[in-house]
Amino acid sequence: MAAPMMRKGMSLLLFLERYSGLSGRSPVFYKFVRRCTTQASNSDTVETSEPEISSSGDNHDVPRPGVDLRRFSDIQEERRQEALRSVLVRHVGKATEDELAKFCSHFGEVKSSFTYGNQELYTLLEYKSKGSVHSLLNTAHFRSVLEVLPYKSRLLSFRSSSWMNSTSKKSSVGDMTAEQKFSILATKLCAAQSMEEQMQVLVRETQLSEGETRLRFLVCSLVEDAITGYFPGCIVHPFGSSVNGFGNKGCDLDMYLNLNVEEHKPKKRNSFPRMEYEVKTVPTERAATQNLLSTVGQSLGEFVPSCRHVQYILNARCPLVKFTHEASGIQCDLTSNNSIALKSSELLNLYSRIDPRVPPLVYAVRHWARMHHITSNMPGGWITNFSLTALVIFFLQYTDKPVLPGIDALKELADKADTCVLEGNDCTLVSDLTKVPPSGNTDSIDDLLLEFFEFYSNFNFKSCGLNLRTGEIQEKKNFDALYIQNPFEQQLNLSKNVSMHHMEKFVQLAREAAWMAEQPDFLQPEVGPKGGVTPWGLVSILSGYNRRKRRLMDQKEFTPIFDSIKSGNPKRNSSHGNVGPRIHITEPVKFKSVLKSAKSKVDKRTKSGNRR
Ligand code: CTP
Ligand code: MG
């Protein structure tokens, strides 16, 4: 990316459009969510109501405003049931939302509906009861009885009586490029009053909306319908960023096909008489997974409406089938035999709710990494979002006063019902969030973000690995560029794919972000003659503003990064100067104090009425 030479007063929008360095990949389907109507009475809207917390002896009973305290499994199940009561309807021609709502209400009470789309409109419609869905489906027709595969699903199209009048599609506003999207986002971020507020705005603007989350569960439910014919009782669960609390608009949908084989294992080995299913045998469990996904992929591509561009990645460590679900615009990755991944998502989801500072931090780091191409949707040596999130969590566990407990501590808090062993691995986690004691750390989220950059600027990745179970650094046993012990399959490195090149880039960019925060004008926006605001705070970090200045510095101090870290482990409390090996960019960076003094300058300016 070409570094910007920033002309004073240049409009932020123009500046970011030209220099943000985004590649414009991943077309995002959702142009605008047109409407969200909740037609049920308030008592029906479970999603937004605060669950009741029953207090028990070991319950810390800490009020956590805005945090959903329900068990992860309960939330998942509720979403799943919601999806089973839902249909997805394409509007044909001029069919309006009102006409559709009126038509559908003949079959039962409509609980909620979301309409979205650009060139074509779709409505996700949830009934109050499953029976209404069946009644609606019973009235549906096939467009023609010839030349169609008569597959019946809950993906429908609606033609109103006026559809004949329409020949043209709705006008398209056209897909925005990634640069344009970032320009709009950056304008909103720059309008915030503090960096802390910028981080909150980032979450609000980029997280999965309620409608998008529902759509993801519905897509899983539609895929499940397609597979149920072969494997009655199967469940397709969403996992990864769709459910872990860190999902971005337009992120991929990771799906896990659970055939529920465990339920049908004999309770006792030699109990007779008993009935057994006649089955085909395969040489290995892996071969079974590959055959299954291959067949499922084929039927999705051949029969299931809206599932297109099926790709088979069956030789990967975790075999998968990729496809596009066109009606929702979601890119799907379907796996099987992957129950631990769902548990990892539960773990991340738990962390996202333990402390309200976690989501803004993770969103900021993920966004920063995406902007600077440290992450990518493509397979390769990039740092995955899963690894990035693990880096944030580890930092929050390891920091002077921990913000988050280690996984072992979460296991200690679990009760008997939480016991979970998957593929021979103990995956037990506490499910009752109220049992987790609050952190004594009171740092603000902007302080924590800058401490994160400082921490990893100085981290000895060459010989140290991260252990999220203990929240401690561990000695690295191999030459992997990044070693993060897998939380549940403890013998594995969850960042094994990361290349040295990308790791060096990560450290270099972390230093750059830290260096930016050190600049005296970091928190001070300037207003140009045309009214545009120059990037400040989080926007500087995301966009790489000031990069040219940074490059003017002595390059030798930065390369090769791993060699510049001499030896020994980083110590706790690194932001307070008690550091082990560290690389001096100019002077040792003490961001907390830098940020605090910058903040007090801004406060003074605000008080004297100078600030914007
Ligand atoms: N996963 C894992 N081990 C890895 C990589 C991924 O167990 N080495 C599991 C985790 O449960 C993770 C999920 O696969 O949450 C999805 O991984 P990924 O798609 O990389 O992360 P997401 O959080 O879904 O991020 P993105 O928005 O990039 O899809
Ligand atoms: Mg994912």
Side-chain angles (χ1 to χ4, degrees), residues 239-242 251-254 333:
F239 70 98
S241 51
S242 299
C251 64
D252 294 354
L253 169 56
D254 300 295
D333 285 357

Side-chain angles (χ1 to χ4, degrees), residues 239-242 244 246-248 251-254 317 333 338 340-346 348 366 375-377 384-387 389 486-487 489 493-497:
F239 70 98
S241 51
S242 299
N244 66 16
F246 304 118
N248 270 311
C251 64
D252 294 354
L253 169 56
D254 300 295
R317 190 182 77 82
D333 285 357
N338 196 14
I340 293 183
L342 181 59
K343 201 68 192 177
S344 307
S345 304
E346 178 179 345
L348 297 196
R366 281 184 172 212
T375 47
S376 166
N377 290 342
T384 63
N385 272 330
F386 187 45
S387 298
T389 311
N486 192 302
E489 294 170 285
N493 172 12
L494 71 84
S495 310
K496 195 159 182 59
N497 67 304

Side-chain angles (χ1 to χ4, degrees), residues 24 57 71 106 133 135 146 183 234 263 273 280 284 403 437 476 593:
R71 286 162 202 266
H106 290 134
V133 173
S135 307
L146 300 170
S183 297
C234 74
E263 275 179 20
K280 290 196 166 167
T284 59
V403 175
K476 229 164 84 171
S593 52

Side-chain angles (χ1 to χ4, degrees), residues 395 398-400 451 454-456 458 570-580 582 589-591:
F395 159 71
Y398 189 76
T399 194
D400 191 16
E451 284 169 32
E454 181 195 19
F455 181 73
Y456 287 115
N458 299 308
K571 300 278 192 304
R572 285 186 193 283
N573 216 1
S574 62
S575 58
H576 304 285
N578 178 23
V579 288
R582 65 181 310 150
V589 194
K590 293 178 184 168
F591 305 100

